Amino acid sequence: MLRLDKFLCEMKTGTRSQVKVFIRKGLVTVNGTTVKSPEQKINEKADTVCVNGKRVSYQKYAYFMLHKPAGYVSATRDSHDKTVLDLMKEPGNPLLDRELFPVGRLDKDTEGLLLITDDGELSHRLLSPSMHVPKTYYVEIDGSLSAGRQECLRQGVDIGEKHGKTRPAVLTEAEKGGFCCAEAESAWLLTITEGKFHQVKRMMQAVGRNVVYLKRLSMGALQLDETLPRGAFRPLTEEELEKLLKEGESRL
Ligand code: URA
């Protein structure tokens, strides 16, 4: 149970004082009945609350999938570069007024799946090194990969980390055709279960190749919706969210 004014504030309907005015003016209904007391307790999960006839649904946290384009940094603010949050503007969407942040970082020139949320606990779980959440990347490189080099990448390579080689990875050649980068000579799908700084680029460098294009396709159970244009975002579907939350739990 939650106070009506607190609920409306948390759902970003307005500031505490604005919300009180809405309520006193009779603009707020709970299950169809006008409520004029800000202190009234509501069941935030079961009651239907409307402001000006528009339903305000309870959502403890916000979860969005963003198709990150190159050229944006994975930060909430930056003095030089545009951030991924600069892409997330939609007037009248109160969920975007929350303190959102990207879960993990993609390099400025990397594209693909980025989860944006205000759920710190889920973020912590997904990023925790002990969780080994798999992340799959589509990687274009400036050369081919011999069977030997492929095996090295699968088993673990030295990228200069003090705790030894990278964890075992899954590597398969990606379907030919339609390289994103003109310098690309081969393309691969690489799944890693760590998130070291520039990890994919450093892994390829360790076998003498340079990444010329990089795109994240999935993180745990969450897959990039390929119908989402670069730079666009959308809320996670209930199914996506359920799978992601379960994944976070099952890896604990
Ligand atoms: N590995 C990289 O090298 N860069 C990324 O952005 C993500 C993984």
Side-chain angles (χ1 to χ4, degrees), residues 4-221:
L4 180 58
D5 56 352
K6 186 158 193 286
F7 166 82
L8 290 173
C9 270
E10 280 188 15
M11 296 307 110
K12 304 288 181 198
T13 309
T15 62
R16 195 83 175 225
S17 48
Q18 286 169 332
V19 155
K20 282 191 173 137
V21 173
F22 297 156
I23 298 171
R24 295 228 161 86
K25 278 190 171 166
L27 300 176
V28 180
T29 58
V30 178
N31 301 326
T33 306
T34 302
V35 171
K36 290 207 164 175
S37 152
E39 303 87 46
Q40 164 120 4
K41 287 271 171 47
I42 59 149
N43 179 341
E44 67 277 12
K45 289 184 188 144
D47 291 337
T48 302
V49 180
C50 296
V51 177
N52 256 334
K54 214 170 145 203
R55 180 151 190 201
V56 180
S57 304
Y58 180 70
Q59 205 172 331
K60 188 161 183 207
Y61 296 115
Y63 303 90
F64 294 97
M65 173 187 297
L66 170 71
H67 187 160
K68 180 191 175 298
Y72 290 77
V73 293
S74 303
T76 51
R77 62 177 76 112
D78 192 278
S79 48
H80 294 290
D81 289 306
K82 291 169 288 182
T83 75
V84 288
L85 290 187
D86 291 329
L87 293 162
M88 300 191 58
K89 305 269 183 278
E90 194 176 80
N93 185 344
L95 290 176
L96 294 176
D97 294 336
R98 295 183 177 206
E99 303 213 341
L100 299 171
F101 55 85
V103 176
R105 281 168 190 268
L106 291 178
D107 297 337
K108 187 175 166 188
D109 57 355
T110 301
E111 300 193 327
L113 174 68
L114 205 51
L115 171 65
I116 309 281
T117 185
D118 55 348
D119 182 346
E121 201 184 308
L122 178 70
S123 167
H124 182 73
R125 290 208 307 260
L126 292 173
L127 297 178
S128 160
S130 62
M131 299 289 281
H132 305 311
V133 172
K135 284 152 287 237
T136 298
Y137 293 87
Y138 167 79
V139 195
E140 291 183 1
I141 54 175
D142 61 352
S144 57
L145 283 180
S146 63
R149 283 174 158 138
Q150 291 178 40
E151 212 35 45
C152 285
L153 288 165
R154 289 189 187 108
Q155 289 189 3
V157 282
D158 182 0
I159 58 169
E161 291 284 325
K162 61 172 183 273
H163 296 301
K165 293 183 175 177
T166 53
R167 284 175 54 81
V170 178
L171 179 74
T172 51
E173 189 150 19
E175 275 188 26
K176 288 259 164 11
F179 285 141
C180 294
C181 177
E183 295 105 85
E185 282 191 28
S186 66
W188 302 84
L189 292 175
L190 177 66
T191 302
I192 56 175
T193 56
E194 301 160 291
K196 303 263 187 318
F197 186 60
H198 296 327
Q199 180 157 344
V200 175
K201 291 174 183 163
R202 288 160 70 203
M203 285 174 75
M204 288 300 176
Q205 273 160 11
V207 295
R209 296 289 176 255
N210 292 303
V211 170
V212 292
Y213 176 79
L214 186 59
K215 176 178 183 179
R216 182 155 66 189
L217 303 179
S218 67
M219 181 170 69

